Amino acid sequence: MRKIPLVLLAVLAALLTGCSGTESGGSGPGTTANQGAGTSPGAATGDAAGPTTTTGGDCDAAYLAQFSTREKLAQLLTVGVTGTDDALAVVRDHQVGGIFVGSWTDQSMLTDGGLEQVTAAAKTPLMVTTDEEGGRVSRLGNLIGTAPSARVTAQTMTPDEFYTATLDRARAMQNLGITADFAPDIDVSSQPDDSVIGDRSFSDDPAVVTEYADAYIRAMHEVGLGTVLKHFPGHGSSTGDSHLGAVQVPPLSELSGSDLVPFRELIDTGSAVMVGHLDVPGLTTPGVPASISPEVMKLLREGSGYGAAPFDGVIFTDDLSGMAAITERLSIEQAVEAALVAGADNALWISTDAVGQVLDQLEQAVAAGRLPMERVDASVLRMADYKRVPRTC
């Protein structure tokens, strides 16, 4: 077991003993679970494609009743897989809600029928995710072709041209079985190209970032893929790389006028949001990064703290197992629990290692009252709406 800094231990203790019910601004069972409910993934805003999700007390209760407590908790996990056998085992044995296709994944799973075996083992539709931003963050470039970085895109394409190009890539991703992409990166940054964000950002101008990200989201939703805005509340002016250690960004007062602008403008597009492992002066408790911070989740849910509409869609964490900003502080079991207790809906990490142990920990948290079942049920329903799982009763 890793040694945990005393300040973090104290904060976690307060979190785990002081939470009850859903977070302020969040939804409980029986409420519509997304600002864009019925539009993500699977539809352009205002032009739904695919099945319409039915929500309501009886329908929600019927949907939830099919899961044991452990299976509900598993619906709130997305894990990286190495290939068909690994994915099949974690879905069949644990019923995780999502899998992640990374650069280490044997991509024959997407082309030889393996993914169909995996999805057939899921009790409810499986979320199949990847990181396909273009540029240097491209997990599927060898299968669907390469694309320029966000920064080059904004310098060389109009938003309309980018929308058309994204349509083609989204169709190619959908044909492989991908259902959601952890993109677009809407960080506002002037960092050098090869820095942690750098050319992953469309621009250092929030308006440009918003315009190009909106084109990306519209194209992806038109084809039927989910999108994820990242990295809330803004990674573009960070002091370092959260893969390597703790990272601080400017105070919330400074983020509001720049980094948070694209989030404010795009929060009602039906996209999910990914929270980064960021220390934010004036918002997060020292030593407690945004991804496990109840203050950050509250800011996102309520919206008023940065002039946005309330957000009741899915909140993902950034990777909890491969980034030192988290792993130097917490074990994966502790990190997943802390994230869900803080208010995240879905915990992401990049392997199937420790899924059983994580679920053991989460069951203990529910039994002890640290993670209320109302919170779990609300997140399961948000995930169902994001995946466009039809509910009938």
Side-chain angles (χ1 to χ4, degrees):
M1 184 69 67
R2 296 173 178 82
K3 292 184 66 177
I4 306 171
L6 291 178
V7 64
L8 185 56
L9 192 59
V11 171
L12 288 176
L15 284 177
L16 300 181
T17 58
C19 293
S20 62
T22 56
E23 64 274 30
S24 177
S27 69
T31 63
T32 302
N34 200 325
Q35 287 287 328
T39 65
S40 175
T45 302
D47 185 16
T52 299
T53 299
T54 300
T55 60
D58 291 342
C59 296
D60 291 347
Y63 179 76
L64 292 168
Q66 70 181 306
F67 302 111
S68 66
T69 295
R70 191 176 181 90
E71 287 172 340
K72 287 179 181 179
L73 293 165
Q75 285 295 301
L76 311 185
L77 308 180
T78 298
V79 294
V81 296
T82 58
T84 299
D85 290 344
D86 189 30
L88 183 58
V90 77
V91 172
R92 181 189 59 224
D93 297 346
H94 298 292
Q95 290 297 317
V96 294
I99 59 172
F100 177 77
V101 177
S103 55
W104 61 89
T105 306
D106 180 353
Q107 295 183 346
S108 66
M109 178 180 75
L110 304 177
T111 59
D112 67 2
L115 184 58
E116 286 81 355
Q117 299 176 47
V118 175
T119 57
K123 179 178 287 191
T124 192
L126 179 70
M127 186 172 57
V128 183
T129 70
T130 194
D131 254 345
E132 188 58 47
E133 300 175 15
R136 58 193 161 106
V137 180
S138 177
R139 313 299 187 186
L140 303 175
N142 59 315
L143 295 178
I144 68 173
T146 59
S149 69
R151 182 170 288 171
V152 170
T153 292
Q155 293 170 346
T156 60
M157 293 184 189
T158 66
D160 286 343
E161 289 170 337
F162 182 47
Y163 167 81
T164 300
T166 302
L167 277 176
D168 292 338
R169 293 181 68 76
R171 293 186 182 111
M173 292 167 66
Q174 185 185 55
N175 288 339
L176 292 173
I178 301 298
T179 67
D181 186 16
F182 289 125
D185 187 320
I186 62 170
D187 293 313
V188 178
S189 186
S190 59
Q191 293 176 340
D193 284 353
D194 60 353
S195 58
V196 59
I197 298 300
D199 63 359
R200 297 170 64 188
S201 168
F202 289 104
S203 176
D204 60 358
D205 182 341
V208 173
V209 172
T210 300
E211 187 175 24
Y212 279 85
D214 179 67
Y216 187 90
I217 292 164
R218 288 186 290 109
M220 294 288 283
H221 288 187
E222 182 171 327
V223 171
L225 273 66
T227 50
V228 182
L229 310 175
K230 62 185 186 185
H231 305 82
F232 190 85
H235 206 321
S237 300
S238 59
T239 58
D241 184 345
S242 54
H243 293 85
L244 305 177
V247 169
Q248 184 168 301
V249 297
L252 178 62
S253 58
E254 293 183 27
L255 295 179
S256 295
S258 179
D259 299 68
L260 280 164
V261 171
F263 289 100
R264 183 163 60 238
E265 297 298 321
L266 300 170
I267 202 66
D268 62 353
T269 58
S271 299
V273 173
M274 177 179 285
V275 178
H277 307 312
L278 309 170
D279 295 335
V280 187
L283 179 61
T284 58
T285 300
V288 181
S291 54
I292 60 172
S293 167
E295 292 86 3
V296 172
M297 306 303 173
K298 182 178 180 181
L299 177 72
L300 183 51
R301 290 294 186 210
E302 294 186 346
S304 57
Y306 69 109
F311 179 67
D312 199 26
V314 169
I315 299 176
F316 287 94
T317 70
D318 207 341
D319 168 31
L320 294 170
S321 69
M323 304 177 100
I326 286 289
T327 59
E328 289 180 349
R329 292 159 160 163
L330 298 168
S331 69
I332 185 60
E333 296 90 346
Q334 293 165 334
V336 172
E337 180 180 346
L340 297 185
V341 167
D345 298 298
N346 195 284
L348 168 70
W349 74 98
I350 59 174
S351 77
T352 57
D353 295 346
V355 170
Q357 295 95 308
V358 165
L359 289 172
D360 289 343
Q361 175 104 2
L362 293 177
E363 282 193 297
Q364 292 167 15
V366 170
R370 301 192 302 264
L371 179 58
M373 274 306 303
E374 301 98 315
R375 177 81 62 79
V376 174
D377 286 347
S379 292
V380 171
L381 293 174
R382 287 191 190 103
M383 292 308 305
D385 284 333
Y386 182 69
K387 294 190 288 185
R388 295 185 57 79
V389 179
R391 301 201 289 278
T392 58
C393 51

